[in-house]
Amino acid sequence: MSFITILQQLLSGMLATISIFVWTLFFSLPLGLVVAFGRMSKFKPLQWLMKLYISVMRGTPLMLQLMVVYYGPYYVFGMPISTNGIFISTIIGFSINYAAYFAEIYRSGIQSIPVGQSEAAKVLGYSRMQTFFKIIFPQMVKRVLPPVTNEVITLVKDTSLAFVLAYAEMFTIAKQIAARETTIMPLFVAGAFYYVFNLLVAGIMGRIEKKLSYYK
């Protein structure tokens, strides 16, 4: 089997992997900010709830969380299991998992900003919303970019876990081709794709970080 033939057969899986990656970031990045606000809230029940959520998401395997999201509605509410919901369940599972990690990164970034800046903004008449988005948020983004980049790179590799819901992402298709053709080449091609994809992601994040290096 030629390299070009393998690439053609893996194309749909590559698109599926990229789709999981993009949609997970689209939902988990803002959701993580919401969770971080809840985690830092002075309203104790909300703070404890967010602490529990983060603890569960970070303390249990992502594979298990995907299975709970997909099969949970059937066992809890008796809702029928449909293959049409596999992609949606995959995105929900990935998003709520990564939102917990992003929330802790955001929280550490926000709390690293000297409190004196918020106090000075209050004296100048800034509202809490203006203080956050005009003063705190720009500094937070710069500080959290390196750990966020690490999580984004990890997400690229974690997309292969979608196989647990029988979602045909790239690595699943590569294994099927390898088993059918009795060759390991598709797995090497898949590995090369993940490597190149991660290089691209790291390069983009690196350029963003460089543009934010305004202290030079």
Side-chain angles (χ1 to χ4, degrees):
M1 177 176 282
S2 68
F3 179 76
I4 299 299
T5 303
I6 292 174
L7 278 180
Q8 291 174 341
Q9 294 188 19
L10 286 177
L11 181 60
S12 63
M14 291 177 180
L15 295 176
T17 293
I18 293 172
S19 182
I20 294 173
F21 174 80
V22 171
W23 283 109
T24 297
L25 289 183
F26 180 79
F27 290 112
S28 63
L29 286 171
L31 179 59
L33 192 59
V34 174
V35 174
F37 285 147
R39 172 71 174 78
M40 295 184 295
S41 173
K42 294 180 180 180
F43 183 58
K44 290 298 182 181
L46 177 59
Q47 183 184 123
W48 293 334
L49 180 63
M50 291 300 100
K51 281 183 178 180
L52 177 62
Y53 164 75
I54 292 171
S55 177
V56 171
M57 290 297 105
R58 297 173 68 190
T60 57
L62 174 56
M63 187 181 298
L64 175 61
Q65 295 167 23
L66 290 170
M67 295 176 69
V68 169
V69 171
Y70 183 60
Y71 296 106
Y74 170 76
Y75 289 106
V76 177
F77 304 107
M79 297 173 62
I81 296 176
S82 171
T83 55
N84 295 328
I86 289 178
F87 179 71
I88 295 176
S89 297
T90 299
I91 299 305
I92 291 174
F94 273 94
S95 297
I96 62 177
N97 176 274
Y98 271 84
Y101 287 92
F102 287 139
E104 285 297 270
I105 293 172
Y106 293 156
R107 182 179 66 85
S108 64
I110 292 172
Q111 292 181 338
S112 70
I113 308 298
V115 69
Q117 296 191 22
S118 297
E119 294 172 348
K122 186 177 181 181
V123 171
L124 293 172
Y126 281 70
S127 66
R128 293 183 64 180
M129 192 71 70
Q130 289 175 322
T131 300
F132 179 76
F133 284 105
K134 291 186 177 182
I135 298 175
I136 305 300
F137 185 75
Q139 297 180 73
M140 181 207 74
V141 170
K142 182 181 183 300
R143 297 187 183 199
V144 305
L145 204 54
V148 165
T149 299
N150 289 336
E151 290 301 323
V152 172
I153 289 174
T154 300
L155 172 60
V156 174
K157 295 176 289 185
D158 278 352
T159 54
S160 62
L161 294 177
F163 82 90
V164 74
L165 299 184
Y167 184 70
E169 44 70 50
M170 188 191 60
F171 198 70
T172 298
I173 294 178
K175 288 188 294 183
Q176 292 172 350
I177 298 173
R180 184 177 66 246
E181 303 293 337
T182 62
T183 174
I184 200 171
M185 182 59 68
L187 299 179
F188 282 119
V189 175
F193 170 80
Y194 285 118
Y195 179 69
V196 172
F197 195 5
N198 272 328
L199 280 180
L200 180 62
V201 169
I204 292 173
M205 299 299 283
R207 289 182 67 87
I208 295 174
E209 187 175 352
K210 189 175 181 180
K211 284 183 177 294
L212 294 176
S213 297
Y214 44 76
Y215 289 127
K216 288 184 177 180

